[in-house]
Amino acid sequence: MLRFLDDRHRLSFIPESKVRPGRTCGVFAIMKDQSKDRMIVDARPPNQAEETLSTWTRTLGTIEALEQIELAPSCNLELSGTDLCDYYYCYRVSAARASRNVLNMPLSHKAASQFSSYLRQSHQLPADQRVFPCISTLAMGDCQAVELGQCAHIKLGIIAGAFSPEELLYIHGRGPRGAIAAGVVIDDVLIAEQVPSSPLQNFTEGERRLALLCEEYLQRGLVPHPRKTFKRELATEVWGAAINGCSGVVRPSPKRVIPLMMLTSRLALLGFSTVALLQVISGSWISVLQTRRRMLCLLDHLYLAQQGRDLDDVVQLSPAAIAECWTLVSLAPMVVFNLRARSHDEVFMSDASEWGTAAVKAKTTQTFVQELHRHSLSRGTWGRLLSPWQCWLKSHDM
């Protein structure tokens, strides 16, 4: 493994005296495809010594943001995008960053002498100390990797003119008002454009933007993945969702949902599970239900079954938890959003108290309603609702 890193200039060495006690890293692999594994650095010890930055992670693209687009009746949504090869491991980092991700693999000078990166540094390494190898690139597992990776990709896109900040789709943002909407998820970029359904244009603005971005990649030494690059597609799968730009239907990828439905139904039939498996299943359903966030209310008893238990504990599912499993399986085909749904040209307002309720409506323009919809309640608001007891206190001026 060290030889592989050394051949690709992603290895450096530091003397033992510069290694922080208890802050060294491990390495493991997860499957990428049938021919390759993905290297992950177990950086939990150094991660615990740092505050994780979160400024740029707030710009991560989401399907929820894409669903704010209201597709005009005369337009289709054409999708273009790409994925960068080995994005994290293309970074050049400082010596300080490399020494932060030091591997717990002490070597003698003789053992390290087989690596060219050691030979370049040997004059700086004390002969009376062992040396430790370091990951000399941005490591997957580093708690700042997503922040730095997202920041760099957003900056590249703006420099290239591929998108502007107002056109970005992101977690707490609002859908763009123009024809172009773009989103970045670390190494993955999507450019969606509303294009008149007829006549077909030979070359669209979205296609031009992607070409500008790919040119910027090449100048920076980055490689767009040839099999994951697509242009002007009316139907594609991206960010875990299947998007049809002609019908306007957005749904979770069937490749993920169908196996999850099968696994959940078998779990309901068995009636028993480990806590670790429940975590995987409930986490997977959260990912699926992001397409229709209000359906997250379906998850309750699967989480109650996990409370106060260890991962290896085997629990018997309650009748309510089993019913919840079947509800999720039954309603999974309904986790669909339609971008062609039109804003209604009326505004409704309601209010309620302990003694009564009231509702009013007013006719207005569709343009105004579309803009009003952009400012509707966003993620996180429902999590701050008062508990029943707090609600009772408030209603009694206590």
Side-chain angles (χ1 to χ4, degrees):
M1 183 195 69
L2 294 181
R3 191 173 293 110
F4 182 91
L5 293 171
D6 184 57
D7 291 343
R8 289 152 182 80
H9 311 291
R10 293 180 174 94
L11 190 66
S12 62
F13 289 88
I14 59 173
E16 190 169 11
S17 59
K18 291 188 176 181
V19 176
R20 295 181 295 173
R23 300 296 180 189
T24 54
C25 301
V27 174
F28 63 94
I30 61 172
M31 181 180 174
K32 185 175 182 180
D33 53 40
Q34 290 183 331
S35 60
K36 287 184 179 181
D37 286 335
R38 178 178 278 117
M39 185 180 78
I40 309 294
V41 177
D42 183 359
R44 286 176 293 177
N47 286 349
Q48 291 169 358
E50 293 184 14
E51 180 182 352
T52 304
L53 302 176
S54 59
T55 300
W56 290 96
T57 51
R58 296 191 184 103
T59 68
L60 287 166
T62 64
I63 290 298
E64 182 190 7
L66 181 74
E67 290 171 355
Q68 294 178 20
I69 295 173
E70 189 168 315
L71 197 52
S74 59
C75 292
N76 291 328
L77 192 69
E78 294 190 353
L79 305 159
S80 303
T82 190
D83 195 334
L84 292 169
C85 299
D86 301 321
Y87 180 59
Y88 282 125
Y89 297 112
C90 291
Y91 275 77
R92 292 196 298 265
V93 297
S94 65
R97 194 78 207 164
S99 62
R100 184 261 193 205
N101 292 319
V102 56
L103 300 178
N104 188 21
M105 299 172 64
L107 299 173
S108 65
H109 284 265
K110 182 179 179 181
S113 62
Q114 61 182 298
F115 304 113
S116 59
S117 54
Y118 169 84
L119 299 176
R120 289 193 297 269
Q121 295 179 262
S122 58
H123 63 284
Q124 303 171 346
L125 301 171
D128 59 340
Q129 296 182 29
R130 295 181 300 175
V131 293
F132 282 69
C134 304
I135 306 289
S136 188
T137 186
L138 190 58
M140 295 183 73
D142 185 327
C143 66
Q144 313 298 358
V146 173
E147 176 78 0
L148 297 173
Q150 182 72 5
C151 174
H153 203 162
I154 291 285
K155 185 175 181 180
L156 282 178
I158 293 175
I159 289 172
F163 47 76
S164 64
E166 299 81 30
E167 294 170 330
L168 281 175
L169 301 166
Y170 56 97
I171 296 172
H172 299 294
R174 294 298 162 193
R177 295 183 178 92
I180 294 285
V184 173
V185 180
I186 311 170
D187 58 347
D188 207 339
V189 66
L190 172 68
I191 299 175
E193 181 183 14
Q194 293 200 48
V195 178
S197 52
S198 62
L200 293 176
Q201 300 180 39
N202 293 328
F203 195 72
T204 64
E205 179 66 10
E207 193 175 4
R208 187 186 73 84
R209 302 276 192 100
L210 181 63
L212 289 174
L213 188 56
C214 289
E215 180 62 30
E216 188 70 26
Y217 290 154
L218 297 176
Q219 292 182 15
R220 305 281 179 169
L222 297 168
V223 181
H225 200 299
R227 288 191 292 108
K228 295 183 180 180
T229 299
F230 53 96
K231 299 177 183 178
R232 301 190 63 183
E233 295 285 345
L234 285 176
T236 190
E237 290 192 16
V238 64
W239 301 348
I243 306 168
N244 190 308
C246 186
S247 67
V249 169
V250 180
R251 65 170 71 245
S253 170
K255 297 174 184 175
R256 302 169 64 191
V257 177
I258 293 172
L260 181 60
M261 291 169 64
M262 182 183 70
L263 183 59
T264 306
S265 60
R266 289 187 176 182
L267 182 70
L269 290 171
L270 183 62
F272 291 87
S273 174
T274 63
V275 173
L277 179 58
L278 284 178
Q279 285 188 0
V280 171
I281 288 179
S282 53
S284 298
W285 277 111
I286 283 182
S287 176
V288 166
L289 297 177
Q290 294 295 328
T291 307
R292 289 296 296 266
R293 291 189 58 83
R294 297 297 177 92
M295 294 179 73
L296 288 169
C297 67
L298 298 174
L299 284 165
D300 186 16
H301 294 281
L302 291 180
Y303 277 104
L304 290 176
Q306 303 170 34
Q307 290 183 354
R309 294 186 168 101
D310 296 328
L311 293 177
D312 294 333
D313 288 350
V314 176
V315 297
Q316 182 175 6
L317 298 181
S318 66
I322 293 174
E324 190 170 287
C325 288
W326 287 119
T327 302
L328 289 166
V329 171
S330 302
L331 295 181
M334 305 294 290
V335 186
V336 177
F337 191 91
N338 190 355
L339 301 177
R340 290 203 181 275
R342 303 293 290 161
S343 295
H344 190 55
D345 59 356
E346 288 182 315
V347 175
F348 297 82
M349 298 181 68
S350 63
D351 196 9
S353 68
E354 290 299 300
W355 54 267
T357 61
V360 296
K361 69 177 181 177
K363 197 82 171 176
T364 183
T365 65
Q366 193 172 57
T367 302
F368 175 72
V369 175
Q370 287 176 354
E371 183 61 24
L372 198 63
H373 184 259
R374 295 181 71 254
H375 299 279
S376 59
L377 292 176
S378 63
R379 171 184 169 184
T381 303
W382 306 113
R384 294 192 292 270
L385 295 179
L386 296 178
S387 68
W389 175 239
Q390 291 170 320
C391 187
W392 186 90
L393 290 173
K394 185 174 177 65
S395 67
H396 288 78
D397 297 321
M398 299 169 63

